[in-house]
Amino acid sequence: MRFMMLMIPKGYEKASPGTMPDPKAVEAMMKYNESLQKAGVLLALDGLHPPSMGVRVTFPGGKPKVTDGPFSEANEVLGGYWMIEVKSKDEAIEWAKRIPASENEIVEVRQVQEMSEFPADVQKAAAGFSDMREQGGRRKQG
Amino acid sequence: MTATDTHRTIDAVWRIESARLIAGLARIVRDVGLAEEFAQDALLAALKQWPESGVPDNPGAWLMATAKHRAFDLLRRKKLLERKREELGREIEAQHEMATPDPDAALDDDVGDDLLRLMFTSCHPVLSTEARAALTLRLIGGLTTDEIARAFLVTEPTIAQRIVRAKRTLAKEQIQFEVPRGVELAARLSSVLEVLYLVFNEGYSATMGDDWMRPQLCEEALRLGRILAELAPNEPEVHGLVALMEIQASRIRARTGPSGEPILLLDQNRARWDQMLVRRGFAALTRAEALGGADGPYALQAAIAACHARARRAVETDWTRIAALYEALARLMPSPIVELNRAVAVAMAFGPAAGLSLVDTLTDDPSLKAYHLLPSVRGDLLAKLARHEEARVEFERAASLTRNARERAFLLQRAATCARETSPLPR
């Protein structure tokens, strides 16, 4: 099963554009990433620029509205994520416990949904979407 | 934390640490069976102590220290170490290691080598392929005997026996705990790769009613492959096999229908292919090729899989390239099954008649006598050439040969379609 470990660094919601992580912290993190890789459980990972460099798209009244970051209402924002493939939630938790995080960081462990978990009607709706994508591709290429 | 919570944590820790633990111990005691026993002892100690004392900060180091302690204790008592001067030296070396200020750092440096040694040992050609697979899943995968038994659809005592015998054979044959060098390396490495691919295929061929442990084997084989790719980064065929497994695994969600019926590659909804695994597969294949391994057997098979993965729609498949890759594969490891696959690719690239003439050279091959895919492919090509009556006979023959009930139903359905085509049109 797949899990995402979501890194939530407190204070990142206010970080100025171009904020880069501390080299010492990066070094420790690299070592940790390497241990995930060597254990064969790492599928993907990425770090994200601070919200001050991003935008939020909201939909008031069903219409998209774009707001530049930082976002005053946000107090927990993502700094990055790992996607791992493990045998159990406990194993995912065990890996999360080993992250060399600092006191102001939170790691949220969330399982990736599998299509097979969905009830039949949701699966059907999702399959329809997949077919649509396929058709769309066909038209574009056709 | 409740006792149950602690036990679940211990399970997770074991999953992460057991291979490193066994590998490190095997270097000291030079016997993988004994090493596993000491590791198990440490696990039992953890199960006893951690629910009361709490999980230590560095559970891996705790397990290693406990296991080493027991290993030295027993070895000392049995005076095994005094038998040979060489081994005595090793004890001193090992005790030295225990006294290292940062045992974890020392561990990290060697653990990769130890793990690689463990893989080569548990996949030693002196063992049967079945024994190699069971031992590898047990020692490196950290699976329980019960899990391995369920995955291979055999009883637990069968697997337990297989593992015990395998360990005994390794001890009896005095198999060295080492990474083979020189000319031996290639043969031994292919033995390791063979085991991983066998485990993968066991999982890949699982059907829906099977125990959930069976499909789990795909993930397990992939994990072991990814570990091996880190341990032996300069071996192109390791990356070739990883690429092959990643790309094949990317199709798992698409290859069975809602009621578990198989969906053939060309009929699969490609939007359901797992693009993350596809990308990982491409990256691994690129590594294999960059190391000069484009023409290795696994890399070639991965390249074929990549051709399919690259095609957004089935009709966009580069069959000419696939046919050429099969030809290269057939030269490398001549096999009627590879030829059959080549025939399919040729038929797709150059028309059913060209494919059929290749298939017809295989019909007398004794090794394909009971292989249902031969008449199945032949039937398909004949149907495309509108030779429906001959096609019907082939589909029925294929149906009588397959052991998979869903496949049989599918083949009989195709036979029936051919029969309708053959019968005179109703007025």
Side-chain angles (χ1 to χ4, degrees):
Chain A
M1 40 181 102
R2 285 182 190 177
F3 286 84
M4 265 202 170
M5 299 190 291
L6 305 164
M7 172 60 92
I8 304 166
K10 291 297 256 178
Y12 208 48
E13 66 276 4
K14 294 193 191 77
S16 47
T19 298
M20 285 293 159
D22 165 54
K24 262 216 130 50
V26 170
E27 200 185 316
M29 211 52 97
M30 280 304 176
K31 210 166 167 229
Y32 171 74
N33 295 343
E34 211 171 275
S35 72
L36 287 176
Q37 177 112 344
K38 281 183 173 166
V41 297
L42 181 66
L43 291 181
L45 81 173
D46 280 300
L48 304 176
H49 282 303
S52 53
M53 292 169 75
V55 301
R56 275 192 171 182
V57 182
T58 51
F59 299 86
K63 293 221 166 64
K65 176 174 172 253
V66 179
T67 316
D68 284 328
F71 319 107
S72 52
E73 71 279 17
N75 51 25
E76 282 186 358
V77 299
L78 273 183
Y81 72 90
W82 294 264
M83 171 92 88
I84 56 173
E85 189 157 65
V86 292
K87 209 174 144 192
S88 66
K89 184 177 172 189
D90 296 297
E91 193 189 338
I93 296 171
E94 196 53 39
W95 280 115
K97 277 155 68 179
R98 297 176 182 209
I99 295 173
S102 61
E103 219 171 349
N104 68 330
E105 290 171 317
I106 301 169
V107 175
E108 195 169 299
V109 179
R110 305 267 298 270
Q111 189 177 352
V112 176
Q113 286 175 332
E114 299 289 338
M115 190 63 80
S116 54
E117 294 172 331
F118 292 153
D121 53 337
V122 179
Q123 282 200 36
K124 211 173 147 204
F129 167 70
S130 305
D131 291 343
M132 223 159 64
R133 273 210 313 207
E134 179 84 340
Q135 297 272 329
R138 242 172 248 190
R139 266 202 300 276
K140 214 162 40 190
Q141 304 221 336
Chain B
M1 204 185 244
T2 67
T4 333
D5 284 345
T6 310
H7 281 178
R8 280 170 35 199
T9 302
I10 293 173
D11 272 355
V13 168
W14 181 253
R15 164 91 175 161
I16 296 172
E17 302 291 345
S18 66
R20 293 157 50 104
L21 197 56
I22 295 167
L25 290 164
R27 175 165 43 87
I28 299 165
V29 299
R30 303 271 146 179
D31 178 319
V32 292
L34 214 51
E36 201 212 355
E37 276 173 40
F38 290 130
Q40 290 282 345
D41 280 352
L43 175 64
L44 288 178
L47 285 166
K48 209 169 136 198
Q49 291 179 32
W50 294 4
E52 282 167 31
S53 66
V55 178
D57 284 345
N58 189 338
W62 189 99
L63 287 169
M64 183 54 106
T66 307
K68 273 185 180 172
H69 195 74
R70 294 187 179 223
F72 293 133
D73 229 35
L74 189 96
L75 291 180
R76 219 173 278 125
R77 254 187 290 136
K78 286 193 171 176
K79 294 189 189 281
L80 276 177
L81 286 175
E82 269 123 5
R83 278 197 199 152
K84 281 186 220 153
R85 198 181 276 261
E86 179 200 15
E87 275 170 323
L88 186 63
R90 227 175 266 139
E91 186 200 19
I92 294 162
E93 179 193 319
Q95 278 185 333
H96 221 74
E97 196 177 305
M98 277 187 90
T100 316
D102 182 2
D104 222 29
L107 206 65
D108 263 359
D109 287 341
D110 295 329
V111 78
D113 292 343
D114 288 341
L115 209 48
L116 192 56
R117 288 187 191 109
L118 187 60
M119 266 201 194
F120 274 110
T121 309
S122 63
C123 293
H124 198 282
V126 74
L127 305 171
S128 73
T129 323
E130 282 176 328
R132 275 182 255 163
L135 196 61
T136 302
L137 287 172
R138 169 86 185 183
L139 298 182
I140 300 149
L143 299 192
T144 64
T145 315
D146 171 52
E147 286 172 330
I148 302 169
R150 278 160 46 195
F152 283 98
L153 304 173
V154 295
T155 65
E156 198 183 335
T158 307
I159 290 293
Q161 269 287 339
R162 206 173 276 171
I163 291 174
V164 167
R165 278 204 209 113
K167 287 184 198 160
R168 212 179 286 153
T169 307
L170 290 176
K172 202 179 77 198
E173 303 280 333
Q174 298 187 320
I175 299 305
Q176 295 298 307
F177 186 68
E178 62 187 17
V179 174
R181 287 170 199 282
V183 282
E184 212 199 336
L185 179 65
R188 293 283 301 279
L189 185 64
S190 81
S191 174
V192 176
L193 300 179
E194 183 195 350
V195 169
L196 298 190
Y197 198 40
L198 172 116
V199 170
F200 183 85
N201 277 317
E202 273 293 321
Y204 207 59
S205 65
T207 58
M208 215 164 81
D210 287 341
D211 193 290
W212 62 269
M213 248 336 277
R214 260 170 88 64
Q216 182 80 33
L217 283 179
C218 286
E219 272 180 33
E220 199 52 45
L222 252 173
R223 182 171 76 100
L224 295 177
R226 291 170 187 151
I227 293 174
L228 184 60
E230 290 295 311
L231 295 175
N234 296 321
E235 292 296 335
E237 275 290 88
V238 175
H239 300 295
L241 175 62
V242 170
L244 177 60
M245 293 194 293
E246 300 268 18
I247 299 174
Q248 286 187 331
S250 77
R251 299 181 202 136
I252 285 178
R253 287 186 299 205
R255 62 199 283 276
T256 42
S259 45
E261 72 279 12
I263 301 177
L264 298 176
L265 180 62
L266 298 182
D267 300 330
Q268 288 171 11
N269 179 349
R270 295 179 178 224
R272 300 191 79 178
W273 287 358
D274 187 329
Q275 290 304 320
M276 180 186 288
L277 294 185
V278 169
R279 279 195 303 276
R280 292 183 59 91
F282 286 171
L285 182 57
T286 306
R287 280 182 86 175
E289 288 167 351
L291 289 163
D295 52 358
Y298 289 112
L300 280 173
Q301 292 174 75
I304 293 166
C307 282
H308 292 297
R310 246 176 245 121
R312 280 185 59 115
R313 297 184 294 143
V315 292
E316 288 167 24
T317 312
D318 186 351
W319 288 106
T320 313
R321 175 158 164 76
I322 293 178
L325 288 165
Y326 270 121
E327 203 183 328
L329 192 61
R331 271 199 306 271
L332 205 61
M333 36 183 237
S335 130
I337 295 195
V338 173
E339 280 300 323
L340 186 60
N341 279 302
R342 180 163 85 92
V344 173
V346 165
M348 295 300 288
F350 309 108
L356 186 63
S357 66
L358 269 177
V359 173
D360 285 343
T361 64
L362 299 169
T363 46
D364 291 332
D365 196 298
S367 62
L368 292 184
K369 224 175 151 68
Y371 189 54
H372 68 281
L373 285 182
L374 177 62
S376 168
V377 165
R378 198 161 180 274
D380 184 59
L381 297 178
L382 286 165
K384 280 180 179 147
L385 292 166
R387 289 158 67 177
H388 298 295
E389 178 52 22
E390 290 165 88
R392 180 188 62 80
V393 174
E394 289 290 37
F395 282 131
E396 280 172 3
R397 196 176 133 65
S400 73
L401 289 173
T402 180
R403 271 175 293 182
N404 183 313
R406 288 204 176 86
E407 204 163 3
R408 186 176 312 121
F410 173 75
L411 289 164
L412 288 175
Q413 193 194 325
R414 289 209 67 180
T417 310
C418 289
R420 273 199 299 279
E421 296 282 347
T422 315
S423 60
L425 289 172
R427 288 186 175 232

